[in-house]
Amino acid sequence: MPTIRQLKRRIQSVKNTAKITNALQMVAASKMRRAQDRASQAKPYAEKLRTVLAGLASQSGGEGEAALHPLLETRPVRNIAVLHITPDRGLCGGLNSNINRSGGTFVAMQHEPVQVVAVGKKGRDFFHRAHVHIAAEFTDLGDYPTQAETSGISRLIIDDYLNGTVDRVYVSFSEFVTTATQRPVTRQLLPIEPPAMEGDGEAFLSDYIFEPSPEVVLARLLPRYIEMQIYEAVLQNAASFQSAQMVAMKNATDNANEITRELTLTYNKTRQEQITKELLDIVGGAAALEG
Amino acid sequence: MPLTVEVVTAERVVRVEQGVDVLVAPGSEGQLAILPHHAALMTTLDAGELIIRRASQEDSFVVSGGFMEVNKDRVTILADASEAAEEIDIARAEAARARAEERLRRVREQNARDVDIARAAAALQRSLLRLRVANRRRQRPGPPRV
């Protein structure tokens, strides 16, 4: 049975922990709102780009036909790159282990040699420990990554693909579903698989006047599309991190409060018992004197 | 029917404007103006000034390349980066211009080798464009308010 003094000390220490987790929860909640906001601000651009690309790429017939652009061309796969996007920090529940497990399993399943491009310290450290070749790393993107910061990543990926260092590129990141749910996903980035066209591709092409030409527009569009996808993935990762951290810190605060409640109960009981014991002693002592 | 114009970048929606009478954009094949009932068009844009004109006001934007789609009186500008004239930080643009000019001057006079000429020239062009857009707005604040 712990003494009153020990109990008191533990209660104080748990309360201090709760203060910290509560503060972290508040910070994460406000950052989360901004991160989610940024993710939704990127949507109109992304959707428009997708529609246009779907229309433009629909003219590139089926199998065997020469691809319209190197970024669309499927080559025999000799080397694979995985762009693994994770947060820089922890204290976010299972988010990091989930994304690392999903990315790690994916890499382990490949038959061809894989190189990892790590965004975020958590993923970099994970693959470093697993002795997977890390071709490049980008860390400290901050809570609100900008497009200027992610364009370096895109350039590296596109260059590696175009000069034949890698023949296929995947991206793995935590998709933001809701504040309570983040899902680790892995998607193919290159060669670009154009989104499916809603409606008639032929009609789309013949309806529009293209300046200078459909080919030029497509050639300008494709690198943008990659950049946008990477930027989106990085934003999703940031929103996921803040949400996961907020939820994790909320749970920690709730747990700490629960422990404080239990400890306080024990503390009061112990105190009560001690007082009763002391009273009995005094009463007993007085009785002995009178006797 | 007047035009509806949307200027968006990957980072944010810069402006959504309705009731636009004419739009002037820096197309890669040259500057072009879009009036209502324009045919469906898809074009690449170069860096330049984008002007949105309505009966009572004129708004101007810096665009650093991108795409423009015109369809059924809806104009969507997918800009690589874009700012409205009133958002431009003139002091910063001025500083950028001075820096770029200084670099180019060093190349010319001292044959400096540590300067990336293409980059400095691009920076100079960017800052000049932003200054031009920002100043044009200052000089012509639009028709007097009644």
Side-chain angles (χ1 to χ4, degrees):
Chain A
M1 194 72 186
T3 65
I4 291 189
R5 188 194 296 258
Q6 280 171 330
L7 280 169
K8 215 171 180 175
R9 216 179 277 158
R10 270 214 62 198
I11 292 173
Q12 198 51 53
S13 123
V14 173
K15 274 188 181 163
N16 285 341
T17 309
K19 259 185 217 158
I20 293 171
T21 55
N22 194 43
L24 270 171
Q25 180 196 330
M26 301 297 191
V27 172
S30 88
K31 285 185 176 174
M32 176 187 84
R33 217 159 300 131
R34 202 168 143 199
Q36 288 180 10
D37 199 43
R38 285 170 57 89
S40 59
Q41 287 263 308
K43 278 225 171 89
Y45 182 87
E47 269 162 26
K48 198 81 219 177
L49 211 54
R50 251 180 226 123
T51 322
V52 175
L53 178 62
L56 271 176
S58 64
Q59 62 174 347
S60 70
E63 301 284 309
E65 213 171 304
L68 281 169
H69 189 273
L71 290 175
L72 289 166
E73 180 192 10
T74 308
R75 302 191 297 237
V77 180
R78 282 177 318 236
N79 293 293
I80 295 176
V82 175
L83 178 65
H84 188 61
I85 303 172
T86 60
D88 277 330
R89 284 173 290 138
L91 290 181
C92 53
L95 184 78
N96 285 329
S97 23
N98 285 341
I99 182 64
N100 282 337
R101 192 180 322 118
S102 136
T105 316
F106 182 81
V107 168
M109 270 173 9
Q110 303 307 312
H111 299 295
E112 293 81 14
V114 177
Q115 50 169 288
V116 168
V117 176
V119 180
K121 286 179 189 152
K122 291 290 166 183
R124 176 198 64 186
D125 295 348
F126 170 78
F127 279 112
H128 189 71
R129 279 196 300 276
H131 302 292
V132 174
H133 174 53
I134 298 173
E137 58 176 71
F138 298 86
T139 57
D140 296 306
L141 288 185
D143 293 324
Y144 316 111
T146 62
Q147 215 210 347
E149 285 165 324
T150 61
S151 70
I153 306 172
S154 324
R155 204 166 320 129
L156 176 95
I157 297 282
I158 294 174
D159 284 351
D160 270 359
Y161 183 79
L162 288 181
N163 68 25
T165 314
V166 294
D167 307 297
R168 183 157 286 185
V169 183
Y170 295 94
V171 58
S172 131
F173 65 99
S174 308
E175 186 181 31
F176 176 83
V177 185
T178 64
T179 305
T181 324
Q182 297 86 35
R183 192 169 30 204
V185 293
T186 309
R187 289 198 191 127
Q188 180 170 326
L189 206 56
L190 282 167
I192 295 172
E193 288 174 330
M197 176 75 189
E198 281 171 34
D200 192 356
E202 292 283 322
F204 176 87
L205 281 169
S206 57
D207 280 353
Y208 278 86
I209 305 166
F210 287 91
E211 269 181 28
S213 67
E215 289 74 26
V216 174
V217 174
L218 185 68
R220 281 268 297 265
L221 202 72
L222 291 172
R224 281 278 145 210
Y225 183 68
I226 293 292
E227 265 174 38
M228 190 270 303
Q229 276 195 311
I230 292 176
Y231 176 65
E232 248 194 341
V234 168
L235 284 188
Q236 294 258 326
N237 172 63
S240 293
F241 170 71
Q242 300 298 354
S243 319
Q245 178 160 68
M246 189 197 76
V247 171
M249 288 303 111
K250 183 178 185 320
N251 289 339
T253 311
D254 290 350
N255 283 342
N257 288 339
E258 176 63 20
I259 292 173
T260 311
R261 205 184 58 79
E262 278 167 17
L263 283 176
T264 310
L265 195 66
T266 323
Y267 170 81
N268 286 338
K269 267 189 196 157
T270 318
R271 197 177 68 105
Q272 190 85 57
E273 267 166 31
Q274 203 181 333
I275 292 168
T276 314
K277 225 189 308 174
E278 276 170 14
L279 262 172
L280 278 177
D281 277 353
I282 294 166
V283 171
L289 277 180
E290 275 174 22
Chain B
M1 201 180 107
L3 299 163
T4 302
V5 179
E6 259 181 286
V7 184
V8 298
T9 69
E11 285 186 344
R12 64 199 180 109
V13 178
V14 181
R15 183 70 64 86
V16 180
E17 200 82 50
Q18 281 169 346
V20 174
D21 295 319
V22 58
L23 168 125
V24 182
S28 55
E29 304 285 89
Q31 202 175 51
L32 70 161
I34 307 291
L35 292 163
H37 304 295
H38 196 284
L41 168 77
M42 171 80 59
T43 179
T44 52
L45 298 180
D46 278 349
E49 184 178 14
L50 176 81
I51 300 166
I52 296 178
R53 204 168 293 163
R54 306 198 280 179
S56 60
Q57 79 183 85
E58 181 178 290
D59 287 312
S60 132
F61 300 78
V62 171
V63 178
S64 64
F67 308 91
M68 176 168 70
E69 184 200 22
V70 185
N71 190 13
K72 297 196 184 82
D73 287 337
R74 275 194 77 86
V75 183
T76 312
I77 286 138
L78 299 171
D80 297 348
S82 174
E83 282 175 289
E86 60 267 24
E87 291 170 343
I88 294 173
D89 184 339
I90 295 179
R92 244 185 81 186
E94 197 69 66
R97 184 186 63 113
R99 238 185 355 258
E101 276 177 351
E102 165 65 18
R103 276 195 208 131
L104 291 173
R105 196 183 55 78
R106 271 180 42 219
V107 172
R108 207 169 48 240
E109 291 173 7
Q110 301 159 16
N111 223 355
R113 288 181 183 273
D114 59 328
V115 175
D116 185 337
I117 298 176
R119 245 182 83 180
L124 181 61
Q125 243 163 28
R126 265 200 314 274
S127 60
L128 284 176
L129 171 64
R130 301 172 83 215
L131 286 171
R132 197 176 73 219
V133 173
N135 286 330
R136 222 166 76 90
R137 186 184 158 78
R138 252 197 315 196
Q139 283 159 11
R140 264 203 315 173
R145 292 203 180 83
V146 187

